[in-house]
mmCIF file of all heavy atoms in Angstrom:
data_model
loop_
_atom_site.group_PDB
_atom_site.id
_atom_site.type_symbol
_atom_site.label_atom_id
_atom_site.label_comp_id
_atom_site.label_asym_id
_atom_site.label_seq_id
_atom_site.Cartn_x
_atom_site.Cartn_y
_atom_site.Cartn_z
ATOM 1 N N GLN A 274 -59.872 13.589 147.727
ATOM 2 C CA GLN A 274 -59.456 12.476 148.590
ATOM 3 C C GLN A 274 -58.679 11.387 147.831
ATOM 4 O O GLN A 274 -58.032 10.553 148.430
ATOM 5 C CB GLN A 274 -60.653 11.710 149.150
ATOM 6 C CG GLN A 274 -61.785 12.464 149.744
ATOM 7 C CD GLN A 274 -62.948 11.492 149.925
ATOM 8 O OE1 GLN A 274 -62.893 10.588 150.753
ATOM 9 N NE2 GLN A 274 -63.976 11.666 149.109
ATOM 10 N N PHE A 275 -58.869 11.360 146.501
ATOM 11 C CA PHE A 275 -58.402 10.186 145.762
ATOM 12 C C PHE A 275 -57.113 10.418 144.978
ATOM 13 O O PHE A 275 -56.819 11.550 144.580
ATOM 14 C CB PHE A 275 -59.505 9.709 144.808
ATOM 15 C CG PHE A 275 -60.805 9.417 145.512
ATOM 16 C CD1 PHE A 275 -61.968 10.092 145.180
ATOM 17 C CD2 PHE A 275 -60.850 8.481 146.549
ATOM 18 C CE1 PHE A 275 -63.161 9.826 145.848
ATOM 19 C CE2 PHE A 275 -62.041 8.212 147.219
ATOM 20 C CZ PHE A 275 -63.187 8.890 146.869
ATOM 21 N N GLU A 276 -56.405 9.280 144.747
ATOM 22 C CA GLU A 276 -55.166 9.377 143.962
ATOM 23 C C GLU A 276 -55.523 9.719 142.516
ATOM 24 O O GLU A 276 -56.670 9.563 142.101
ATOM 25 C CB GLU A 276 -54.389 8.046 143.931
ATOM 26 C CG GLU A 276 -54.089 7.397 145.272
ATOM 27 C CD GLU A 276 -55.187 6.414 145.658
ATOM 28 O OE1 GLU A 276 -55.182 5.276 145.156
ATOM 29 O OE2 GLU A 276 -56.051 6.815 146.462
ATOM 30 N N ASP A 277 -54.482 10.104 141.792
ATOM 31 C CA ASP A 277 -54.675 10.499 140.387
ATOM 32 C C ASP A 277 -55.284 9.363 139.568
ATOM 33 O O ASP A 277 -54.947 8.192 139.751
ATOM 34 C CB ASP A 277 -53.315 10.869 139.757
ATOM 35 C CG ASP A 277 -52.827 12.217 140.284
ATOM 36 O OD1 ASP A 277 -53.524 12.812 141.148
ATOM 37 O OD2 ASP A 277 -51.748 12.653 139.844
ATOM 38 N N ALA A 278 -56.136 9.755 138.639
ATOM 39 C CA ALA A 278 -56.700 8.860 137.618
ATOM 40 C C ALA A 278 -57.364 7.604 138.180
ATOM 41 O O ALA A 278 -57.196 6.514 137.647
ATOM 42 C CB ALA A 278 -55.606 8.492 136.603
ATOM 43 N N THR A 279 -58.117 7.757 139.262
ATOM 44 C CA THR A 279 -58.774 6.579 139.846
ATOM 45 C C THR A 279 -60.307 6.701 139.860
ATOM 46 O O THR A 279 -60.985 5.800 140.327
ATOM 47 C CB THR A 279 -58.302 6.364 141.303
ATOM 48 O OG1 THR A 279 -58.553 7.564 142.055
ATOM 49 C CG2 THR A 279 -56.839 5.983 141.383
ATOM 50 N N VAL A 280 -60.834 7.826 139.356
ATOM 51 C CA VAL A 280 -62.299 8.019 139.398
ATOM 52 C C VAL A 280 -62.843 8.064 137.965
ATOM 53 O O VAL A 280 -62.252 8.695 137.086
ATOM 54 C CB VAL A 280 -62.651 9.347 140.117
ATOM 55 C CG1 VAL A 280 -64.160 9.589 140.126
ATOM 56 C CG2 VAL A 280 -62.095 9.361 141.539
ATOM 57 N N VAL A 281 -63.986 7.379 137.755
ATOM 58 C CA VAL A 281 -64.655 7.442 136.448
ATOM 59 C C VAL A 281 -65.767 8.482 136.553
ATOM 60 O O VAL A 281 -66.605 8.414 137.452
ATOM 61 C CB VAL A 281 -65.276 6.072 136.076
ATOM 62 C CG1 VAL A 281 -65.942 6.139 134.707
ATOM 63 C CG2 VAL A 281 -64.217 4.981 136.118
ATOM 64 N N TYR A 282 -65.757 9.447 135.644
ATOM 65 C CA TYR A 282 -66.825 10.454 135.604
ATOM 66 C C TYR A 282 -67.882 9.976 134.600
ATOM 67 O O TYR A 282 -67.555 9.545 133.486
ATOM 68 C CB TYR A 282 -66.225 11.801 135.177
ATOM 69 C CG TYR A 282 -67.246 12.875 134.885
ATOM 70 C CD1 TYR A 282 -68.212 13.225 135.824
ATOM 71 C CD2 TYR A 282 -67.249 13.544 133.654
ATOM 72 C CE1 TYR A 282 -69.153 14.214 135.548
ATOM 73 C CE2 TYR A 282 -68.181 14.539 133.382
ATOM 74 C CZ TYR A 282 -69.131 14.866 134.332
ATOM 75 O OH TYR A 282 -70.069 15.840 134.053
ATOM 76 N N VAL A 283 -69.135 10.022 134.995
ATOM 77 C CA VAL A 283 -70.230 9.524 134.152
ATOM 78 C C VAL A 283 -71.209 10.665 133.900
ATOM 79 O O VAL A 283 -71.738 11.265 134.850
ATOM 80 C CB VAL A 283 -70.996 8.380 134.870
ATOM 81 C CG1 VAL A 283 -72.097 7.816 133.975
ATOM 82 C CG2 VAL A 283 -70.045 7.281 135.336
ATOM 83 N N CYS A 284 -71.442 10.993 132.628
ATOM 84 C CA CYS A 284 -72.421 12.056 132.317
ATOM 85 C C CYS A 284 -72.833 11.920 130.856
ATOM 86 O O CYS A 284 -71.999 11.651 129.994
ATOM 87 C CB CYS A 284 -71.806 13.433 132.570
ATOM 88 S SG CYS A 284 -72.957 14.804 132.246
ATOM 89 N N PHE A 285 -74.122 12.114 130.600
ATOM 90 C CA PHE A 285 -74.628 11.963 129.234
ATOM 91 C C PHE A 285 -75.135 13.284 128.658
ATOM 92 O O PHE A 285 -76.110 13.318 127.915
ATOM 93 C CB PHE A 285 -75.704 10.866 129.204
ATOM 94 C CG PHE A 285 -75.197 9.554 129.731
ATOM 95 C CD1 PHE A 285 -75.596 9.069 130.971
ATOM 96 C CD2 PHE A 285 -74.269 8.817 129.004
ATOM 97 C CE1 PHE A 285 -75.100 7.862 131.468
ATOM 98 C CE2 PHE A 285 -73.757 7.620 129.495
ATOM 99 C CZ PHE A 285 -74.169 7.142 130.734
ATOM 100 N N GLY A 286 -74.490 14.362 129.054
ATOM 101 C CA GLY A 286 -74.758 15.653 128.433
ATOM 102 C C GLY A 286 -75.987 16.349 128.979
ATOM 103 O O GLY A 286 -76.519 16.000 130.038
#
Side-chain angles (χ1 to χ4, degrees):
Q274 313 167 69
F275 304 120
E276 308 92 80
D277 287 2
T279 56
V280 178
V281 181
Y282 171 55
V283 182
C284 181
F285 303 107

